Amino acid sequence: PPCVDAVIHAGFARVVIACSDPNPNVNGQGIAKLRAAGIEVIENICLREAEELNCGFISVIKRGRPFISLKVATSLDGKIATSASESQWITGEAARHYGHSLRSQYDAIATGIGTVLADNPQLTCRTPGREDKSPVRVIFDSKLRLPETSQLAQGARAVPVWAICNESIKNSALSDKGVDILPCGGDGRPDIEKAIHILTERGITRLLVEAGTGLSTAFLLSGLVDRIYWFRAPLVIGNEGLAAFGTGFPSALSEAMRFHIIDHVALAPDSLDILAR
């Protein structure tokens, strides 16, 4: 039942609220009911912190989609791998530990099939004490090439794996291992906006994108990225290395996609900038 009724019944004299519920079905009715019962109500205490804690719920209510963050780990010159495709590990242990903790704060983590085929990742949270907080693993895999022997497929019953693919693709072997196959899009790459709609319907409120050049670029160009976690290692790979982002961005500086730094974290020997739109 509504918590407001319980608060009134309990006889509290004062209620302190960090942020109000943005759900239009609520629309301040609970606060009004408290005041009508003679209870003092103080609002917007630690408002920014509360909105941060509830950013996923707020995003779904206000924008109809999850709060989406992009995680990138690069060299100083923006490379995610060498010309020989070597990427493990560009950043150090402290940065990787932070990244695992970050995963535990999200409902789902998304990557592309290219990353899966290259690295065979687990995409779980392996921070001590948070192992049970691993997010749903979402794989953008248009042709459903996820190997049955991959760590993701083998662990699908322990931590859910959702494979987003084209409409006509089926794979009973993956389904038998517990991989949830979600048709999305036509013959080309899955439609990101349609995929996000499916994830929202399935209850995802926070999505962390941890992918290679193709999917990271696609998410940025979609305009759906709310935050970037950019880890930088103090090394230079050079022009032959694999860039974090690809093509398709505006050529005019005045039209460039702009973010602003909201926090900086030293993770010796690396650094982390947290950026928001």
Side-chain angles (χ1 to χ4, degrees), residues 108-114 116-117 123 135-148 150 152-157 159-186 188-191 194-196 198-199 202 204 207 215:
I109 179 171
T111 196
I113 186 60
V116 174
L117 295 176
L123 298 179
V136 172
R137 284 88 58 85
V138 178
I139 314 303
F140 281 75
D141 185 6
S142 58
K143 297 180 181 178
L144 210 55
R145 294 184 291 154
L146 178 64
E148 299 170 35
S150 65
L152 288 165
Q154 293 294 320
R157 296 201 182 279
V159 180
V161 174
W162 299 351
I164 296 178
C165 63
N166 292 338
E167 297 289 351
S168 59
I169 305 293
K170 295 181 180 180
N171 189 317
S172 57
L174 286 175
S175 297
D176 290 343
K177 289 190 175 298
V179 176
D180 203 346
I181 298 173
L182 307 179
C184 175
R189 291 183 176 179
D191 184 298
K194 185 175 180 180
I196 294 301
I198 291 174
L199 296 182
R202 284 178 157 240
I204 300 302
L207 176 67
L215 192 61

Short mmCIF file of all heavy atoms in Angstrom, two decimals, residues 108-114 116-117 123 135-148 150 152-157 159-186 188-191 194-196 198-199 202 204 207 215:
data_model
loop_
_atom_site.label_atom_id
_atom_site.label_comp_id
_atom_site.label_asym_id
_atom_site.label_seq_id
_atom_site.Cartn_x
_atom_site.Cartn_y
_atom_site.Cartn_z
N ALA A 108 22.19 -3.55 -16.74
CA ALA A 108 22.65 -4.31 -17.90
C ALA A 108 23.92 -3.69 -18.45
O ALA A 108 24.16 -2.49 -18.31
CB ALA A 108 21.57 -4.32 -18.99
N ILE A 109 24.74 -4.55 -19.07
CA ILE A 109 25.95 -4.10 -19.75
C ILE A 109 25.89 -4.58 -21.19
O ILE A 109 25.52 -5.73 -21.45
CB ILE A 109 27.21 -4.63 -19.03
CG1 ILE A 109 28.49 -4.17 -19.74
CG2 ILE A 109 27.19 -6.15 -18.90
CD1 ILE A 109 29.75 -4.48 -18.96
N ALA A 110 26.18 -3.69 -22.13
CA ALA A 110 26.06 -4.03 -23.55
C ALA A 110 27.42 -4.00 -24.23
O ALA A 110 28.26 -3.14 -23.95
CB ALA A 110 25.12 -3.04 -24.25
N THR A 111 27.61 -4.94 -25.13
CA THR A 111 28.80 -4.94 -25.98
C THR A 111 28.43 -5.52 -27.33
O THR A 111 27.32 -6.01 -27.53
CB THR A 111 29.94 -5.75 -25.32
OG1 THR A 111 31.17 -5.44 -25.97
CG2 THR A 111 29.70 -7.25 -25.43
N GLY A 112 29.36 -5.45 -28.28
CA GLY A 112 29.12 -5.97 -29.62
C GLY A 112 29.76 -7.33 -29.81
O GLY A 112 30.67 -7.73 -29.07
N ILE A 113 29.30 -8.04 -30.81
CA ILE A 113 29.81 -9.39 -31.07
C ILE A 113 31.30 -9.36 -31.44
O ILE A 113 32.03 -10.31 -31.14
CB ILE A 113 28.98 -10.09 -32.17
CG1 ILE A 113 29.42 -11.55 -32.35
CG2 ILE A 113 29.08 -9.33 -33.49
CD1 ILE A 113 29.25 -12.40 -31.10
N GLY A 114 31.77 -8.26 -32.03
CA GLY A 114 33.19 -8.16 -32.37
C GLY A 114 34.06 -8.25 -31.14
O GLY A 114 35.09 -8.95 -31.13
N VAL A 116 33.19 -9.65 -28.31
CA VAL A 116 33.05 -11.00 -27.77
C VAL A 116 33.97 -11.98 -28.49
O VAL A 116 34.67 -12.78 -27.87
CB VAL A 116 31.59 -11.47 -27.87
CG1 VAL A 116 31.46 -12.94 -27.45
CG2 VAL A 116 30.69 -10.60 -27.01
N LEU A 117 34.00 -11.90 -29.82
CA LEU A 117 34.82 -12.82 -30.61
C LEU A 117 36.32 -12.57 -30.38
O LEU A 117 37.13 -13.49 -30.40
CB LEU A 117 34.49 -12.69 -32.09
CG LEU A 117 33.07 -13.12 -32.50
CD1 LEU A 117 32.84 -12.85 -33.98
CD2 LEU A 117 32.83 -14.59 -32.17
N LEU A 123 32.10 -10.21 -18.72
CA LEU A 123 31.23 -9.05 -18.50
C LEU A 123 30.48 -9.15 -17.18
O LEU A 123 29.33 -8.70 -17.05
CB LEU A 123 30.24 -8.87 -19.65
CG LEU A 123 30.85 -8.60 -21.03
CD1 LEU A 123 29.75 -8.45 -22.07
CD2 LEU A 123 31.74 -7.36 -21.01
N PRO A 135 25.49 -7.43 -13.87
CA PRO A 135 24.35 -7.00 -14.67
C PRO A 135 23.98 -8.04 -15.73
O PRO A 135 24.77 -8.95 -16.04
CB PRO A 135 24.86 -5.72 -15.33
CG PRO A 135 26.34 -5.94 -15.46
CD PRO A 135 26.74 -6.74 -14.26
N VAL A 136 22.80 -7.89 -16.30
CA VAL A 136 22.42 -8.66 -17.48
C VAL A 136 23.42 -8.34 -18.59
O VAL A 136 23.77 -7.17 -18.82
CB VAL A 136 20.99 -8.29 -17.94
CG1 VAL A 136 20.66 -8.94 -19.27
CG2 VAL A 136 19.98 -8.68 -16.87
N ARG A 137 23.92 -9.37 -19.30
CA ARG A 137 24.85 -9.15 -20.40
C ARG A 137 24.07 -9.07 -21.72
O ARG A 137 23.39 -10.03 -22.09
CB ARG A 137 25.87 -10.29 -20.47
CG ARG A 137 26.97 -10.24 -19.42
CD ARG A 137 26.62 -10.93 -18.12
NE ARG A 137 26.27 -12.34 -18.26
CZ ARG A 137 27.15 -13.35 -18.28
NH1 ARG A 137 28.44 -13.11 -18.19
NH2 ARG A 137 26.75 -14.61 -18.35
N VAL A 138 24.13 -7.93 -22.40
CA VAL A 138 23.40 -7.70 -23.65
C VAL A 138 24.41 -7.67 -24.80
O VAL A 138 25.33 -6.86 -24.80
CB VAL A 138 22.61 -6.39 -23.61
CG1 VAL A 138 21.89 -6.16 -24.93
CG2 VAL A 138 21.61 -6.40 -22.45
N ILE A 139 24.24 -8.56 -25.78
CA ILE A 139 25.17 -8.66 -26.89
C ILE A 139 24.47 -8.22 -28.17
O ILE A 139 23.44 -8.79 -28.55
CB ILE A 139 25.68 -10.11 -27.09
CG1 ILE A 139 26.09 -10.72 -25.73
CG2 ILE A 139 26.83 -10.13 -28.07
CD1 ILE A 139 27.12 -9.95 -24.98
N PHE A 140 25.00 -7.19 -28.82
CA PHE A 140 24.50 -6.76 -30.13
C PHE A 140 25.15 -7.67 -31.17
O PHE A 140 26.33 -7.55 -31.46
CB PHE A 140 24.82 -5.29 -30.38
CG PHE A 140 23.89 -4.35 -29.67
CD1 PHE A 140 23.99 -4.14 -28.30
CD2 PHE A 140 22.89 -3.70 -30.37
CE1 PHE A 140 23.12 -3.28 -27.65
CE2 PHE A 140 22.01 -2.83 -29.74
CZ PHE A 140 22.13 -2.63 -28.37
N ASP A 141 24.36 -8.59 -31.71
CA ASP A 141 24.89 -9.69 -32.52
C ASP A 141 23.92 -9.96 -33.67
O ASP A 141 23.12 -10.90 -33.64
CB ASP A 141 25.05 -10.93 -31.62
CG ASP A 141 25.70 -12.10 -32.32
OD1 ASP A 141 26.14 -11.94 -33.47
OD2 ASP A 141 25.75 -13.17 -31.69
N SER A 142 24.00 -9.13 -34.71
CA SER A 142 23.00 -9.16 -35.79
C SER A 142 22.85 -10.53 -36.43
O SER A 142 21.73 -10.97 -36.73
CB SER A 142 23.34 -8.11 -36.85
OG SER A 142 24.62 -8.34 -37.39
N LYS A 143 23.94 -11.26 -36.64
CA LYS A 143 23.89 -12.56 -37.31
C LYS A 143 23.94 -13.73 -36.32
O LYS A 143 24.06 -14.89 -36.73
CB LYS A 143 25.03 -12.67 -38.32
CG LYS A 143 24.94 -11.64 -39.43
CD LYS A 143 26.10 -11.78 -40.41
CE LYS A 143 26.02 -10.74 -41.52
NZ LYS A 143 27.17 -10.84 -42.46
N LEU A 144 23.87 -13.41 -35.04
CA LEU A 144 23.87 -14.40 -33.96
C LEU A 144 25.08 -15.34 -34.08
O LEU A 144 24.95 -16.55 -34.20
CB LEU A 144 22.57 -15.20 -33.96
CG LEU A 144 22.10 -15.72 -32.59
CD1 LEU A 144 21.99 -14.59 -31.58
CD2 LEU A 144 20.76 -16.43 -32.71
N ARG A 145 26.26 -14.71 -34.01
CA ARG A 145 27.50 -15.48 -34.12
C ARG A 145 28.10 -15.83 -32.75
O ARG A 145 29.22 -16.33 -32.68
CB ARG A 145 28.52 -14.68 -34.92
CG ARG A 145 28.13 -14.47 -36.39
CD ARG A 145 29.24 -13.75 -37.12
NE ARG A 145 29.38 -12.36 -36.68
CZ ARG A 145 30.50 -11.64 -36.76
NH1 ARG A 145 31.60 -12.21 -37.23
NH2 ARG A 145 30.52 -10.39 -36.37
N LEU A 146 27.37 -15.57 -31.68
CA LEU A 146 27.89 -15.86 -30.34
C LEU A 146 28.24 -17.34 -30.23
O LEU A 146 27.39 -18.21 -30.36
CB LEU A 146 26.83 -15.50 -29.30
CG LEU A 146 27.19 -15.78 -27.84
CD1 LEU A 146 28.36 -14.91 -27.40
CD2 LEU A 146 25.98 -15.55 -26.93
N PRO A 147 29.51 -17.67 -29.98
CA PRO A 147 29.90 -19.08 -29.91
C PRO A 147 29.28 -19.79 -28.70
O PRO A 147 29.19 -19.22 -27.61
CB PRO A 147 31.43 -19.01 -29.76
CG PRO A 147 31.81 -17.64 -30.24
CD PRO A 147 30.67 -16.76 -29.88
N GLU A 148 28.87 -21.01 -28.91
CA GLU A 148 28.31 -21.81 -27.82
C GLU A 148 29.35 -22.05 -26.73
O GLU A 148 29.01 -22.26 -25.56
CB GLU A 148 27.81 -23.15 -28.35
CG GLU A 148 26.70 -23.04 -29.38
CD GLU A 148 26.43 -24.39 -30.03
OE1 GLU A 148 26.52 -25.41 -29.32
OE2 GLU A 148 26.14 -24.42 -31.23
N SER A 150 31.64 -19.87 -25.80
CA SER A 150 32.09 -18.63 -25.18
C SER A 150 31.74 -18.61 -23.69
O SER A 150 30.84 -19.32 -23.23
CB SER A 150 31.43 -17.42 -25.87
OG SER A 150 30.03 -17.44 -25.65
N LEU A 152 30.31 -16.27 -22.18
CA LEU A 152 28.97 -15.72 -22.03
C LEU A 152 27.91 -16.81 -22.16
O LEU A 152 27.02 -16.93 -21.32
CB LEU A 152 28.74 -14.63 -23.08
CG LEU A 152 29.49 -13.32 -22.85
CD1 LEU A 152 29.47 -12.47 -24.12
CD2 LEU A 152 28.89 -12.55 -21.69
N ALA A 153 28.00 -17.60 -23.22
CA ALA A 153 27.00 -18.66 -23.43
C ALA A 153 27.08 -19.71 -22.33
O ALA A 153 26.05 -20.18 -21.84
CB ALA A 153 27.21 -19.30 -24.80
N GLN A 154 28.30 -20.06 -21.94
CA GLN A 154 28.46 -21.09 -20.91
C GLN A 154 27.92 -20.64 -19.55
O GLN A 154 27.51 -21.47 -18.74
CB GLN A 154 29.94 -21.46 -20.78
CG GLN A 154 30.52 -22.16 -22.00
CD GLN A 154 29.91 -23.53 -22.25
OE1 GLN A 154 29.66 -24.29 -21.31
NE2 GLN A 154 29.63 -23.84 -23.51
N GLY A 155 27.92 -19.33 -19.31
CA GLY A 155 27.45 -18.82 -18.02
C GLY A 155 26.09 -18.17 -18.07
O GLY A 155 25.70 -17.46 -17.13
N ALA A 156 25.34 -18.41 -19.13
CA ALA A 156 24.06 -17.71 -19.33
C ALA A 156 23.01 -18.06 -18.28
O ALA A 156 22.12 -17.25 -18.01
CB ALA A 156 23.51 -18.00 -20.73
N ARG A 157 23.08 -19.23 -17.73
CA ARG A 157 22.10 -19.60 -16.70
C ARG A 157 22.45 -19.01 -15.34
O ARG A 157 21.58 -18.84 -14.49
CB ARG A 157 21.97 -21.12 -16.62
CG ARG A 157 21.44 -21.74 -17.91
CD ARG A 157 20.85 -23.12 -17.68
NE ARG A 157 20.40 -23.70 -18.94
CZ ARG A 157 19.23 -23.42 -19.52
NH1 ARG A 157 18.41 -22.56 -18.95
NH2 ARG A 157 18.90 -23.99 -20.67
N VAL A 159 24.27 -15.92 -14.98
CA VAL A 159 24.04 -14.48 -15.16
C VAL A 159 23.42 -14.32 -16.55
O VAL A 159 24.03 -14.71 -17.54
CB VAL A 159 25.35 -13.67 -15.06
CG1 VAL A 159 25.08 -12.19 -15.26
CG2 VAL A 159 26.03 -13.91 -13.72
N PRO A 160 22.23 -13.73 -16.64
CA PRO A 160 21.50 -13.70 -17.92
C PRO A 160 22.28 -13.09 -19.07
O PRO A 160 23.04 -12.13 -18.89
CB PRO A 160 20.27 -12.85 -17.59
CG PRO A 160 20.08 -13.01 -16.12
CD PRO A 160 21.46 -13.12 -15.55
N VAL A 161 22.10 -13.67 -20.26
CA VAL A 161 22.67 -13.15 -21.50
C VAL A 161 21.53 -12.95 -22.49
O VAL A 161 20.76 -13.86 -22.76
CB VAL A 161 23.71 -14.13 -22.10
CG1 VAL A 161 24.18 -13.62 -23.48
CG2 VAL A 161 24.90 -14.30 -21.17
N TRP A 162 21.41 -11.73 -23.01
CA TRP A 162 20.40 -11.40 -24.02
C TRP A 162 21.12 -11.06 -25.31
O TRP A 162 21.96 -10.16 -25.35
CB TRP A 162 19.55 -10.22 -23.59
CG TRP A 162 18.78 -10.43 -22.32
CD1 TRP A 162 18.63 -11.59 -21.62
CD2 TRP A 162 18.07 -9.42 -21.57
NE1 TRP A 162 17.87 -11.38 -20.49
CE2 TRP A 162 17.51 -10.06 -20.44
CE3 TRP A 162 17.86 -8.05 -21.75
CZ2 TRP A 162 16.74 -9.38 -19.49
CZ3 TRP A 162 17.09 -7.36 -20.81
CH2 TRP A 162 16.54 -8.02 -19.70
N ALA A 163 20.82 -11.78 -26.37
CA ALA A 163 21.45 -11.55 -27.67
C ALA A 163 20.48 -10.82 -28.58
O ALA A 163 19.40 -11.34 -28.91
CB ALA A 163 21.88 -12.87 -28.29
N ILE A 164 20.84 -9.60 -28.99
CA ILE A 164 20.01 -8.80 -29.87
C ILE A 164 20.45 -9.05 -31.31
O ILE A 164 21.59 -8.78 -31.67
CB ILE A 164 20.11 -7.31 -29.52
CG1 ILE A 164 19.54 -7.09 -28.11
CG2 ILE A 164 19.38 -6.45 -30.52
CD1 ILE A 164 19.64 -5.66 -27.62
N CYS A 165 19.54 -9.59 -32.13
CA CYS A 165 19.91 -10.01 -33.48
C CYS A 165 18.84 -9.58 -34.48
O CYS A 165 17.86 -8.92 -34.13
CB CYS A 165 20.09 -11.52 -33.52
SG CYS A 165 18.57 -12.43 -33.17
N ASN A 166 19.04 -9.96 -35.73
CA ASN A 166 18.06 -9.67 -36.78
C ASN A 166 16.80 -10.52 -36.59
O ASN A 166 16.82 -11.55 -35.93
CB ASN A 166 18.67 -9.94 -38.16
CG ASN A 166 19.77 -8.95 -38.49
OD1 ASN A 166 19.83 -7.86 -37.92
ND2 ASN A 166 20.67 -9.32 -39.38
N GLU A 167 15.72 -10.09 -37.23
CA GLU A 167 14.42 -10.72 -37.03
C GLU A 167 14.41 -12.20 -37.38
O GLU A 167 13.75 -13.00 -36.73
CB GLU A 167 13.37 -9.99 -37.89
CG GLU A 167 13.16 -8.53 -37.51
CD GLU A 167 12.45 -8.34 -36.19
OE1 GLU A 167 11.97 -9.36 -35.62
OE2 GLU A 167 12.36 -7.21 -35.70
N SER A 168 15.12 -12.58 -38.44
CA SER A 168 14.98 -13.94 -38.99
C SER A 168 15.96 -14.95 -38.41
O SER A 168 15.93 -16.12 -38.80
CB SER A 168 15.14 -13.89 -40.51
OG SER A 168 16.41 -13.36 -40.85
N ILE A 169 16.81 -14.53 -37.47
CA ILE A 169 17.85 -15.42 -36.98
C ILE A 169 17.35 -16.25 -35.79
O ILE A 169 16.70 -15.74 -34.89
CB ILE A 169 19.09 -14.62 -36.54
CG1 ILE A 169 19.58 -13.73 -37.67
CG2 ILE A 169 20.19 -15.55 -36.06
CD1 ILE A 169 20.14 -14.48 -38.85
N LYS A 170 17.67 -17.54 -35.82
CA LYS A 170 17.35 -18.42 -34.70
C LYS A 170 18.56 -19.30 -34.40
O LYS A 170 19.37 -19.58 -35.28
CB LYS A 170 16.14 -19.30 -35.02
CG LYS A 170 14.84 -18.54 -35.20
CD LYS A 170 13.68 -19.49 -35.48
CE LYS A 170 12.39 -18.71 -35.66
NZ LYS A 170 11.23 -19.62 -35.95
N ASN A 171 18.69 -19.72 -33.15
CA ASN A 171 19.79 -20.61 -32.77
C ASN A 171 19.35 -21.41 -31.56
O ASN A 171 19.44 -20.94 -30.42
CB ASN A 171 21.05 -19.80 -32.48
CG ASN A 171 22.28 -20.68 -32.30
OD1 ASN A 171 22.22 -21.72 -31.65
ND2 ASN A 171 23.40 -20.25 -32.87
N SER A 172 18.87 -22.60 -31.79
CA SER A 172 18.32 -23.42 -30.71
C SER A 172 19.41 -23.84 -29.73
O SER A 172 19.15 -24.01 -28.54
CB SER A 172 17.63 -24.65 -31.28
OG SER A 172 18.51 -25.41 -32.08
N ALA A 173 20.66 -24.00 -30.23
CA ALA A 173 21.75 -24.41 -29.34
C ALA A 173 22.02 -23.35 -28.29
O ALA A 173 22.23 -23.67 -27.11
CB ALA A 173 23.00 -24.70 -30.16
N LEU A 174 22.02 -22.08 -28.71
CA LEU A 174 22.21 -21.00 -27.75
C LEU A 174 21.03 -20.91 -26.79
O LEU A 174 21.19 -20.68 -25.59
CB LEU A 174 22.42 -19.67 -28.47
CG LEU A 174 23.77 -19.46 -29.15
CD1 LEU A 174 23.79 -18.14 -29.93
CD2 LEU A 174 24.91 -19.47 -28.13
N SER A 175 19.84 -21.05 -27.32
CA SER A 175 18.64 -21.01 -26.48
C SER A 175 18.69 -22.11 -25.43
O SER A 175 18.31 -21.89 -24.27
CB SER A 175 17.38 -21.16 -27.33
OG SER A 175 17.25 -20.07 -28.23
N ASP A 176 19.16 -23.28 -25.82
CA ASP A 176 19.25 -24.40 -24.88
C ASP A 176 20.23 -24.12 -23.75
O ASP A 176 20.09 -24.66 -22.64
CB ASP A 176 19.68 -25.68 -25.61
CG ASP A 176 18.59 -26.22 -26.53
OD1 ASP A 176 17.42 -25.81 -26.36
OD2 ASP A 176 18.92 -27.03 -27.42
N LYS A 177 21.21 -23.26 -24.00
CA LYS A 177 22.19 -22.91 -22.96
C LYS A 177 21.68 -21.79 -22.06
O LYS A 177 22.35 -21.40 -21.11
CB LYS A 177 23.52 -22.51 -23.60
CG LYS A 177 24.26 -23.70 -24.22
CD LYS A 177 25.66 -23.32 -24.63
CE LYS A 177 26.40 -24.56 -25.14
NZ LYS A 177 26.54 -25.59 -24.08
N GLY A 178 20.50 -21.23 -22.41
CA GLY A 178 19.92 -20.18 -21.58
C GLY A 178 20.05 -18.79 -22.13
O GLY A 178 19.64 -17.82 -21.48
N VAL A 179 20.63 -18.65 -23.33
CA VAL A 179 20.75 -17.33 -23.96
C VAL A 179 19.37 -16.89 -24.44
O VAL A 179 18.68 -17.62 -25.16
CB VAL A 179 21.74 -17.35 -25.13
CG1 VAL A 179 21.78 -15.99 -25.83
CG2 VAL A 179 23.13 -17.74 -24.64
N ASP A 180 18.95 -15.70 -24.05
CA ASP A 180 17.65 -15.16 -24.45
C ASP A 180 17.85 -14.39 -25.76
O ASP A 180 18.55 -13.38 -25.80
CB ASP A 180 17.14 -14.22 -23.36
CG ASP A 180 15.63 -14.06 -23.40
OD1 ASP A 180 15.02 -14.45 -24.41
OD2 ASP A 180 15.07 -13.54 -22.42
N ILE A 181 17.26 -14.86 -26.84
CA ILE A 181 17.44 -14.26 -28.16
C ILE A 181 16.33 -13.25 -28.43
O ILE A 181 15.14 -13.58 -28.39
CB ILE A 181 17.48 -15.35 -29.24
CG1 ILE A 181 18.67 -16.29 -28.99
CG2 ILE A 181 17.56 -14.75 -30.63
CD1 ILE A 181 18.72 -17.50 -29.89
N LEU A 182 16.74 -12.01 -28.71
CA LEU A 182 15.78 -10.91 -28.90
C LEU A 182 15.89 -10.37 -30.32
O LEU A 182 16.81 -9.61 -30.64
CB LEU A 182 16.06 -9.79 -27.90
CG LEU A 182 16.14 -10.18 -26.42
CD1 LEU A 182 16.45 -8.97 -25.57
CD2 LEU A 182 14.84 -10.83 -25.98
N PRO A 183 14.99 -10.75 -31.23
CA PRO A 183 15.01 -10.22 -32.60
C PRO A 183 14.77 -8.71 -32.60
O PRO A 183 13.88 -8.21 -31.92
CB PRO A 183 13.85 -10.97 -33.28
CG PRO A 183 13.60 -12.16 -32.42
CD PRO A 183 13.91 -11.72 -31.03
N CYS A 184 15.59 -8.02 -33.37
CA CYS A 184 15.49 -6.55 -33.40
C CYS A 184 16.12 -6.04 -34.69
O CYS A 184 17.32 -6.10 -34.87
CB CYS A 184 16.19 -5.95 -32.19
SG CYS A 184 16.26 -4.16 -32.19
N GLY A 185 15.31 -5.52 -35.61
CA GLY A 185 15.87 -4.94 -36.83
C GLY A 185 15.77 -5.89 -38.00
O GLY A 185 15.29 -7.01 -37.90
N GLY A 186 16.25 -5.44 -39.15
CA GLY A 186 16.14 -6.19 -40.39
C GLY A 186 17.38 -6.97 -40.73
O GLY A 186 17.89 -7.73 -39.92
N GLY A 188 20.39 -5.68 -41.62
CA GLY A 188 21.65 -5.05 -41.24
C GLY A 188 21.88 -5.14 -39.75
O GLY A 188 21.45 -6.09 -39.09
N ARG A 189 22.57 -4.15 -39.19
CA ARG A 189 22.83 -4.14 -37.76
C ARG A 189 21.53 -3.86 -37.01
O ARG A 189 20.65 -3.16 -37.50
CB ARG A 189 23.85 -3.05 -37.42
CG ARG A 189 25.25 -3.36 -37.95
CD ARG A 189 26.23 -2.28 -37.53
NE ARG A 189 27.60 -2.61 -37.93
CZ ARG A 189 28.64 -1.83 -37.70
NH1 ARG A 189 28.47 -0.66 -37.10
NH2 ARG A 189 29.85 -2.20 -38.09
N PRO A 190 21.40 -4.39 -35.80
CA PRO A 190 20.20 -4.13 -35.01
C PRO A 190 19.99 -2.63 -34.80
O PRO A 190 20.95 -1.87 -34.63
CB PRO A 190 20.50 -4.84 -33.68
CG PRO A 190 21.48 -5.90 -34.03
CD PRO A 190 22.33 -5.32 -35.12
N ASP A 191 18.74 -2.21 -34.84
CA ASP A 191 18.38 -0.82 -34.64
C ASP A 191 18.55 -0.48 -33.15
O ASP A 191 17.88 -1.06 -32.29
CB ASP A 191 16.93 -0.61 -35.08
CG ASP A 191 16.50 0.84 -34.98
OD1 ASP A 191 16.48 1.39 -33.86
OD2 ASP A 191 16.15 1.42 -36.02
N LYS A 194 15.37 0.80 -31.31
CA LYS A 194 14.43 -0.29 -31.10
C LYS A 194 14.94 -1.23 -30.01
O LYS A 194 14.16 -1.71 -29.17
CB LYS A 194 14.22 -1.06 -32.40
CG LYS A 194 13.15 -2.14 -32.30
CD LYS A 194 12.90 -2.80 -33.66
CE LYS A 194 11.82 -3.89 -33.53
NZ LYS A 194 11.57 -4.56 -34.84
N ALA A 195 16.24 -1.48 -30.01
CA ALA A 195 16.83 -2.34 -28.97
C ALA A 195 16.64 -1.73 -27.59
O ALA A 195 16.30 -2.42 -26.62
CB ALA A 195 18.31 -2.56 -29.26
N ILE A 196 16.86 -0.42 -27.48
CA ILE A 196 16.68 0.26 -26.20
C ILE A 196 15.23 0.17 -25.75
O ILE A 196 14.94 0.00 -24.56
CB ILE A 196 17.13 1.73 -26.30
CG1 ILE A 196 18.65 1.81 -26.54
CG2 ILE A 196 16.75 2.51 -25.05
CD1 ILE A 196 19.48 1.16 -25.46
N ILE A 198 13.19 -2.28 -26.38
CA ILE A 198 13.01 -3.64 -25.87
C ILE A 198 13.59 -3.77 -24.47
O ILE A 198 12.97 -4.36 -23.57
CB ILE A 198 13.67 -4.65 -26.83
CG1 ILE A 198 12.90 -4.71 -28.16
CG2 ILE A 198 13.72 -6.04 -26.20
CD1 ILE A 198 13.57 -5.56 -29.22
N LEU A 199 14.78 -3.22 -24.25
CA LEU A 199 15.41 -3.30 -22.94
C LEU A 199 14.58 -2.57 -21.88
O LEU A 199 14.45 -3.03 -20.74
CB LEU A 199 16.82 -2.71 -22.98
CG LEU A 199 17.84 -3.43 -23.88
CD1 LEU A 199 19.20 -2.76 -23.78
CD2 LEU A 199 17.95 -4.90 -23.52
N ARG A 202 11.74 -4.56 -20.75
CA ARG A 202 12.18 -5.66 -19.91
C ARG A 202 12.67 -5.19 -18.54
O ARG A 202 13.25 -5.97 -17.78
CB ARG A 202 13.27 -6.47 -20.62
CG ARG A 202 12.71 -7.36 -21.72
CD ARG A 202 13.79 -8.12 -22.46
NE ARG A 202 13.21 -9.30 -23.09
CZ ARG A 202 13.57 -10.56 -22.84
NH1 ARG A 202 14.53 -10.80 -21.99
NH2 ARG A 202 12.97 -11.57 -23.44
N ILE A 204 14.95 -2.68 -17.75
CA ILE A 204 16.29 -2.10 -17.61
C ILE A 204 16.17 -0.59 -17.43
O ILE A 204 15.57 0.10 -18.24
CB ILE A 204 17.16 -2.42 -18.84
CG1 ILE A 204 17.31 -3.93 -19.02
CG2 ILE A 204 18.52 -1.74 -18.73
CD1 ILE A 204 17.93 -4.65 -17.83
N LEU A 207 21.88 1.33 -18.28
CA LEU A 207 22.62 0.52 -19.25
C LEU A 207 24.05 1.05 -19.37
O LEU A 207 24.26 2.24 -19.61
CB LEU A 207 21.94 0.56 -20.61
CG LEU A 207 22.65 -0.17 -21.75
CD1 LEU A 207 22.67 -1.68 -21.50
CD2 LEU A 207 21.99 0.14 -23.10
N LEU A 215 30.21 -0.26 -32.02
CA LEU A 215 29.03 -0.05 -31.17
C LEU A 215 29.15 1.23 -30.36
O LEU A 215 28.16 1.95 -30.17
CB LEU A 215 28.81 -1.25 -30.26
CG LEU A 215 27.47 -1.29 -29.53
CD1 LEU A 215 26.31 -1.33 -30.52
CD2 LEU A 215 27.40 -2.48 -28.58
#
